């Protein structure tokens, strides 16, 4: 896979440029990963289009190959032939590199009835247990043994049942869906995650021959009904990965922070309502055209954005936790004060330390709340990315800062952004990869 960044390890930028122009939004990391895992269920070749060239996809591809699937990349199109899946033991080096490998459990249980996987460790944004994943799989009849760092799951036969999640976990919902597709009988999931990355997974599976029902009132009910089918009933499908709502939101906050007038092309307009509403409350002009998949964002020519008093992250369709750090970076240079409550993860303020080093006025009130007072300007300096969305937030801060900012450890950013430098350079930013 060819990355926009090549082998570079840092991003350097000179702040002060307003952003103008149009940017094409890449395919969604969080939609593509579970769909790649789902291909393991299908004894045929699938053609996935608009797959983002990012390291997490590379990692999932290596995991698929380790099970016996055959992959072939053609630019942003990925061909996956999972006719001969024979290995149920997943290599630790890839599992530990990417937590979302855990959704392969449901797919392998559904296809071969067994999986051996390392516990996907926590990360800087929180503990990230997988108890809800195991809850769903056990309800479907899987027997699960765990020791300190490995999980062995086995199912003679998965049986449909009713599964009510106490919390609408995205990954646990996806894992349970993948195991239920070929279970005997019908599975009803209650309080499923409503994120678009769940509905697009179900859409992909249905096009491949699964029988999954999601009602028009899914956002209200969180109910998914899955009628089990035989593996042999599943067939190859050509499917286009949806655009990445978090990448789109990242560039929207970059424009609010640096100022300017940009158009997000191929943007998932309907999935960004909470984000666009917030941008308007901050003083931006946001015009979205769902038919054209376009979002136009304009800030007053030279005015700073105005912070709203309080924002909390939540499950879809509330404000997404993955845009909490990009919002925080933009808020650092907006007028007024903002308190953010992070309701999804237990430790998602790691970027604060680096923003404060750039001159931001931020106080971490506790592991759930942070308070920011906007300042006239941030000062460019060398800062360290510590995780994916925090790294993107540092780029947003650098574009709004005075002087030169260098963001190091950009391997985190390359996990989810296909070419953040190329995208922003196309909007007029003075930015480049450096070694
Ligand atoms: C997915 O993670 C995304 N990752 C995350 O994006 C995103 O932030 C998150 O959903 C919420 O939208 C992928 O899709 C690959 P969860 P996931 O299970 O599935 C707790 C990014 O930046 N929980 O909904 O892991 C968990 O600790 C990434 O692209 C349990 O307690 O999210 C967290 O506090 C970051 N037990 C909360 O639920 C469980 O078994 C939300 O987790 C599972 C989760």
């Amino acid at each position: 896979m060819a990355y926009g960044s090549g082998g570079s390890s840092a991003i350097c930028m000179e702040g002060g440029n307003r952003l103008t122009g149009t940017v094409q939004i890449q395919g969604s990391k969080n939609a593509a990963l579970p769909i790649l895992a789902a291909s393991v269920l299908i004894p045929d070749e699938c053609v996935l289009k608009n797959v983002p060239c990012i390291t997490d996809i590379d990692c999932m591809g290596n995991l698929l190959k380790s099970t016996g699937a055959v992959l072939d990349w053609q630019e942003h199109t990925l061909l996956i032939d999972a006719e001969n899946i024979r290995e149920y033991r997943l290599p630790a080096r890839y599992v530990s590199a990417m937590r979302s490998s855990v959704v392969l459990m449901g797919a392998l249980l559904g296809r071969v009835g067994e999986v051996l996987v390392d516990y996907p460790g926590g990360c800087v944004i929180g503990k990230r247990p997988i108890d809800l994943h195991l809850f769903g799989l056990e309800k479907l009849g899987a027997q699960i043994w765990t020791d300190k760092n490995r999980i062995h799951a086995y199912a003679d036969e998965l049986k449909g049942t009713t599964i009510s999640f106490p919390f609408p976990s995205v990954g646990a919902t996806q894992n349970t869906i993948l195991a239920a597709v070929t279970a005997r009988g019908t599975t009803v999931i209650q309080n499923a995650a409503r994120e678009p990355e769940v509905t697009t997974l179900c859409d992909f599976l249905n096009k491949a021959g699964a029988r999954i029902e999601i009602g028009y009132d899914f956002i209200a009910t969180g109910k998914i009904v899955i009628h089990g089918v035989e593996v042999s009933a599943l067939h190859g499908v050509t499917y286009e990965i949806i655009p990445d709502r978090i990448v789109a939101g990242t560039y929207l906050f970059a424009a609010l922070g640096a100022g300017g007038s940009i158009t997000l092309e191929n943007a998932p307009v309907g999935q960004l309502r909470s984000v666009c509403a917030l941008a308007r409350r901050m003083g931006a002009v946001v015009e979205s055209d769902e038919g054209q998949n376009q979002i136009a964002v304009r800030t007053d020519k030279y005015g700073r954005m105005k912070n709203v008093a309080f924002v909390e992250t939540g499950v879809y369709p509330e404000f997404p936790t993955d845009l909490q750090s990009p919002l925080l970076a933009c808020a650092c240079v907006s007028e007024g004060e903002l308190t953010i409550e992070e309701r999804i993860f237990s430790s998602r303020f790691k970027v604060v330390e680096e923003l404060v080093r750039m001159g931001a006025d931020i106080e971490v009130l506790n592991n759930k709340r942070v308070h920011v007072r906007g300042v006239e300007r941030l000062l460019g300096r060398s800062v360290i990315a510590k995780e994916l969305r925090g790294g993107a937030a540092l780029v947003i801060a650098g574009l709004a800062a005075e002087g030169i900012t260098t963001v190091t450890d950009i391997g985190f950013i390359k996990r989810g952004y296909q070419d953040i430098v190329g995208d922003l350079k196309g909007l007029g930013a003075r930015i480049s990869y450096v070694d």
Side-chain angles (χ1 to χ4, degrees):
M1 185 192 297
Y3 304 116
S5 58
S8 52
S9 60
I11 292 173
C12 185
M13 70 210 85
E14 182 179 2
N17 247 27
R18 295 176 67 248
L19 300 182
T20 57
T22 294
V23 61
Q24 285 289 333
I25 300 304
Q26 71 179 62
S28 164
K29 165 178 87 81
N30 293 348
L33 288 171
I35 286 175
L36 263 72
S39 69
V40 160
L41 280 170
I42 302 165
D44 200 353
E45 181 177 83
C46 290
V47 179
L48 302 181
K49 298 187 167 186
N50 196 35
V51 179
C53 290
I54 53 178
T55 53
D56 270 12
I57 292 290
D58 221 12
C59 185
M60 182 61 88
N62 287 324
L63 282 164
L64 295 186
K65 282 185 236 174
S66 74
T67 68
V70 177
L71 277 68
D72 181 25
W73 270 105
Q74 293 166 5
E75 191 57 29
H76 291 292
T77 297
L78 178 58
L79 279 67
I80 305 175
D81 186 339
E83 187 181 1
N84 301 308
I85 297 295
R86 59 182 177 283
E87 180 56 75
Y88 67 88
R89 291 164 300 185
L90 295 173
R93 64 185 181 285
Y94 297 125
V95 170
S96 55
M98 186 184 64
R99 277 189 46 74
S100 58
S101 51
V102 69
V103 291
L104 272 170
M105 286 185 72
L108 280 169
L109 278 171
R111 177 70 188 273
V112 298
E114 191 163 13
V115 57
L116 186 60
V117 64
D118 272 38
Y119 247 99
C123 57
V124 287
I125 65 174
K127 288 192 305 296
R128 305 187 76 181
I130 59 168
D131 55 314
L132 297 176
H133 295 245
L134 303 184
F135 165 73
L137 298 178
E138 282 177 328
K139 287 282 284 184
L140 287 166
Q143 296 173 59
I144 297 179
W145 301 271
T146 57
D147 65 21
K148 59 183 181 315
N149 57 13
R150 303 210 83 181
I151 309 167
H152 186 192
Y154 175 81
D156 245 342
E157 183 185 53
L158 294 164
K159 294 186 195 64
T161 184
T162 295
I163 298 165
S164 298
F165 281 114
F167 173 83
S169 153
V170 175
T173 300
Q174 293 166 335
N175 228 339
T176 303
I177 290 167
L178 291 173
V181 164
T182 59
R184 185 164 57 79
T186 296
T187 298
V188 176
I189 300 177
Q190 296 172 335
N191 197 26
R194 282 75 157 174
E195 274 69 6
E197 296 79 25
V198 169
T199 41
T200 192
L201 170 65
C202 293
D203 183 43
F204 166 78
L205 286 164
N206 278 338
K207 286 185 166 63
R211 291 181 56 215
I212 304 172
E213 295 163 8
I214 291 184
Y216 67 91
D217 54 356
F218 176 54
I219 295 287
T221 66
K223 180 180 174 183
I224 299 176
V225 178
I226 303 156
H227 302 288
V229 298
E230 296 297 326
V231 169
S232 56
L234 299 174
H235 53 78
V237 62
T238 295
Y239 195 78
E240 173 122 0
I241 301 298
I242 60 172
D244 194 311
R245 60 192 173 103
I246 304 304
V247 170
T250 301
Y251 297 157
L252 176 147
F253 284 119
L256 268 59
S261 173
I262 69 169
T263 299
L264 307 174
E265 292 273 350
N266 195 30
V269 175
Q271 300 170 15
L272 286 163
R273 295 196 199 290
S274 63
V275 178
C276 293
L278 175 59
R280 292 186 184 102
R281 290 174 59 202
M282 293 179 72
V285 175
V286 181
E287 289 157 347
S288 53
D289 180 336
E290 193 142 11
Q292 295 293 320
N293 295 325
Q294 270 183 356
I295 299 174
V297 183
R298 290 199 314 278
T299 69
D300 171 56
K301 198 156 174 52
Y302 296 111
R304 286 162 65 196
M305 291 293 97
K306 292 171 182 50
N307 279 319
V308 300
F310 180 75
V311 172
E312 59 183 2
T313 66
V315 296
Y316 192 82
E318 294 169 32
F319 187 82
T321 175
D322 293 348
L323 287 175
Q324 181 255 104
S325 293
L327 164 63
L328 181 60
C330 166
C332 289
V333 292
S334 301
E335 262 176 46
E337 305 189 18
L338 161 68
T339 297
I340 299 180
E341 175 145 346
E342 171 54 58
R343 292 173 48 226
I344 303 297
F345 287 105
S346 59
S347 171
R348 203 165 198 180
F349 298 134
K350 286 282 184 298
V351 69
V352 168
E353 183 184 346
E354 297 302 284
L355 290 171
V356 168
R357 289 181 61 238
M358 295 177 72
D361 182 352
I362 308 177
E363 185 187 355
V364 178
L365 304 177
N366 54 47
N367 72 335
K368 286 284 182 193
R369 276 196 177 199
V370 72
H371 184 80
V372 53
R373 295 177 187 81
V375 294
E376 278 287 333
R377 69 178 55 78
L378 296 175
L379 300 175
R381 61 180 306 160
S382 183
V383 289
I384 304 168
K386 293 174 183 161
E387 38 85 20
L388 167 56
R389 306 301 174 185
L394 291 173
V395 173
I396 291 172
L399 294 176
E402 195 175 276
I404 303 290
T405 296
T406 301
V407 179
T408 60
D409 290 33
I410 63 166
F412 289 111
I413 299 176
K414 292 194 270 191
R415 292 188 55 175
Y417 294 83
Q418 188 167 264
D419 185 5
I420 195 168
V421 166
D423 287 343
L424 292 168
K425 193 176 281 189
L427 293 173
R430 285 193 292 265
I431 187 170
S432 59
Y433 293 112
V434 293
D435 291 332

